[in-house]
Amino acid sequence: MTGVETRSVARDSLFLLADIRVEQSAELHSVRVRNLSDGGMMGEGHMRIQRGHRVSVELRNIGAVGGTVAWVQDNRFGVAFDEEVDSQKARRPLQTAEDPAAAIVKPSWAHRAPPPPEPSQLRKI
Protein backbone atom coordinates (compact mmCIF):
# COMPACT_ATOMS: atom_id res chain seq x y z
CA MET A 1 0.00 0.00 0.00
CA THR A 2 1.23 3.48 -0.67
CA GLY A 3 1.07 6.28 1.89
CA VAL A 4 -1.95 7.80 0.15
CA GLU A 5 -3.84 4.50 0.14
CA THR A 6 -3.21 3.75 3.84
CA ARG A 7 -4.63 7.07 5.04
CA SER A 8 -8.06 6.11 3.67
CA VAL A 9 -8.12 2.73 5.45
CA ALA A 10 -10.48 2.57 8.43
CA ARG A 11 -8.66 2.23 11.73
CA ASP A 12 -9.81 2.19 15.34
CA SER A 13 -8.04 3.43 18.40
CA LEU A 14 -7.59 0.80 21.06
CA PHE A 15 -5.25 -0.36 23.78
CA LEU A 16 -3.98 -3.85 23.22
CA LEU A 17 -0.72 -5.56 24.11
CA ALA A 18 1.23 -7.49 21.48
CA ASP A 19 4.60 -9.17 21.20
CA ILE A 20 6.91 -8.11 18.38
CA ARG A 21 10.12 -9.64 17.06
CA VAL A 22 12.43 -7.49 14.92
CA GLU A 23 13.99 -9.18 11.88
CA GLN A 24 16.04 -12.25 12.84
CA SER A 25 16.32 -11.33 16.54
CA ALA A 26 15.32 -13.97 19.07
CA GLU A 27 14.21 -11.26 21.51
CA LEU A 28 10.48 -10.57 21.92
CA HIS A 29 9.35 -7.09 22.92
CA SER A 30 5.99 -6.31 24.47
CA VAL A 31 4.39 -3.25 22.84
CA ARG A 32 1.11 -1.38 23.07
CA VAL A 33 -1.02 -1.37 19.93
CA ARG A 34 -2.56 2.12 19.76
CA ASN A 35 -4.53 1.64 16.56
CA LEU A 36 -5.12 -1.28 14.25
CA SER A 37 -6.53 -1.73 10.77
CA ASP A 38 -6.67 -4.73 8.47
CA GLY A 39 -3.52 -3.47 6.73
CA GLY A 40 -1.34 -2.31 9.63
CA MET A 41 -0.94 -0.95 13.12
CA MET A 42 0.59 1.79 15.22
CA GLY A 43 2.62 0.45 18.11
CA GLU A 44 4.27 2.05 21.09
CA GLY A 45 7.16 0.68 23.09
CA HIS A 46 10.70 1.20 24.27
CA MET A 47 12.74 -0.73 21.75
CA ARG A 48 15.27 -0.01 19.04
CA ILE A 49 13.45 -0.13 15.72
CA GLN A 50 14.05 1.58 12.38
CA ARG A 51 12.04 2.27 9.26
CA GLY A 52 12.37 -0.67 6.88
CA HIS A 53 12.92 -3.31 9.58
CA ARG A 54 11.04 -6.54 8.98
CA VAL A 55 8.95 -7.58 11.99
CA SER A 56 6.63 -10.32 13.17
CA VAL A 57 3.78 -9.18 15.43
CA GLU A 58 1.84 -11.63 17.59
CA LEU A 59 -1.75 -10.31 17.74
CA ARG A 60 -4.44 -11.69 20.06
CA ASN A 61 -6.81 -14.15 18.33
CA ILE A 62 -4.92 -13.68 15.03
CA GLY A 63 -1.43 -15.02 15.59
CA ALA A 64 1.86 -14.01 14.00
CA VAL A 65 1.64 -11.36 11.28
CA GLY A 66 4.63 -10.32 9.18
CA GLY A 67 5.20 -6.71 8.19
CA THR A 68 7.57 -3.83 7.57
CA VAL A 69 8.14 -0.78 9.77
CA ALA A 70 6.80 2.15 7.74
CA TRP A 71 7.68 5.00 10.12
CA VAL A 72 9.19 5.69 13.54
CA GLN A 73 8.63 8.73 15.78
CA ASP A 74 9.97 8.73 19.34
CA ASN A 75 8.66 5.51 20.92
CA ARG A 76 5.84 5.03 18.38
CA PHE A 77 6.03 3.25 15.04
CA GLY A 78 3.82 2.10 12.19
CA VAL A 79 3.82 -1.38 10.68
CA ALA A 80 2.43 -2.21 7.24
CA PHE A 81 1.31 -5.85 7.28
CA ASP A 82 2.35 -8.16 4.43
CA GLU A 83 -1.18 -9.56 4.22
CA GLU A 84 -4.45 -8.07 5.44
CA VAL A 85 -5.86 -9.44 8.69
CA ASP A 86 -9.32 -9.37 10.26
CA SER A 87 -8.57 -6.63 12.79
CA GLN A 88 -11.95 -7.16 14.48
CA LYS A 89 -10.72 -10.55 15.76
CA ALA A 90 -8.06 -8.85 17.89
CA ARG A 91 -10.76 -6.83 19.66
CA ARG A 92 -12.64 -9.92 20.82
CA PRO A 93 -11.91 -11.57 24.18
CA LEU A 94 -9.00 -13.98 24.10
CA GLN A 95 -10.06 -17.44 22.95
CA THR A 96 -7.83 -20.44 23.39
CA ALA A 97 -8.26 -24.10 22.56
CA GLU A 98 -7.83 -24.92 26.26
CA ASP A 99 -10.71 -22.59 27.19
CA PRO A 100 -13.86 -24.79 27.12
CA ALA A 101 -16.07 -21.70 27.47
CA ALA A 102 -14.71 -20.38 24.15
CA ALA A 103 -16.17 -23.37 22.31
CA ILE A 104 -19.60 -23.24 23.96
CA VAL A 105 -22.32 -21.63 21.90
CA LYS A 106 -25.11 -20.58 24.21
CA PRO A 107 -28.69 -20.76 22.94
CA SER A 108 -30.54 -17.48 22.52
CA TRP A 109 -32.74 -18.18 25.54
CA ALA A 110 -29.77 -18.77 27.89
CA HIS A 111 -29.71 -15.18 29.09
CA ARG A 112 -33.43 -15.03 29.97
CA ALA A 113 -35.15 -16.08 33.21
CA PRO A 114 -37.01 -19.39 33.00
CA PRO A 115 -40.77 -19.18 32.32
CA PRO A 116 -43.13 -19.49 35.33
CA PRO A 117 -44.48 -22.98 36.07
CA GLU A 118 -47.82 -24.09 34.67
CA PRO A 119 -50.72 -23.95 37.20
CA SER A 120 -50.95 -27.74 37.13
CA GLN A 121 -47.35 -27.92 38.37
CA LEU A 122 -48.03 -25.82 41.51
CA ARG A 123 -48.55 -27.52 44.87
CA LYS A 124 -51.02 -26.35 47.47
CA ILE A 125 -49.54 -25.73 50.89
Side-chain angles (χ1 to χ4, degrees):
M1 290 184 155
T2 67
V4 173
E5 291 171 345
T6 59
R7 298 315 305 165
S8 64
V9 174
R11 62 184 54 81
D12 292 326
S13 293
L14 72 155
F15 182 79
L16 170 67
L17 293 177
D19 289 325
I20 188 169
R21 185 183 317 272
V22 180
E23 294 183 331
Q24 301 301 321
S25 172
E27 189 175 358
L28 273 179
H29 300 276
S30 185
V31 298
R32 291 175 290 280
V33 178
R34 291 296 185 180
N35 67 41
L36 179 68
S37 70
D38 292 353
M41 62 170 260
M42 180 177 71
E44 180 180 55
H46 297 287
M47 55 186 279
R48 295 180 61 91
I49 194 165
Q50 294 178 354
R51 184 174 186 234
H53 275 169
R54 296 283 305 145
V55 295
S56 176
V57 183
E58 188 71 33
L59 293 170
R60 178 175 70 190
N61 294 332
I62 294 175
V65 181
T68 303
V69 177
W71 58 267
V72 177
Q73 185 177 18
D74 299 324
N75 64 340
R76 292 186 179 196
F77 56 91
V79 175
F81 297 147
D82 295 338
E83 303 285 331
E84 287 196 352
V85 299
D86 180 357
S87 59
Q88 294 301 312
K89 278 184 168 181
R91 291 167 175 73
R92 295 183 190 133
L94 181 61
Q95 295 179 350
T96 63
E98 298 85 34
D99 183 3
I104 297 173
V105 177
K106 294 183 180 179
S108 61
W109 51 265
H111 66 280
R112 291 186 241 138
E118 296 292 324
S120 61
Q121 295 174 327
L122 296 176
R123 291 185 337 188
K124 289 188 178 182
I125 300 180

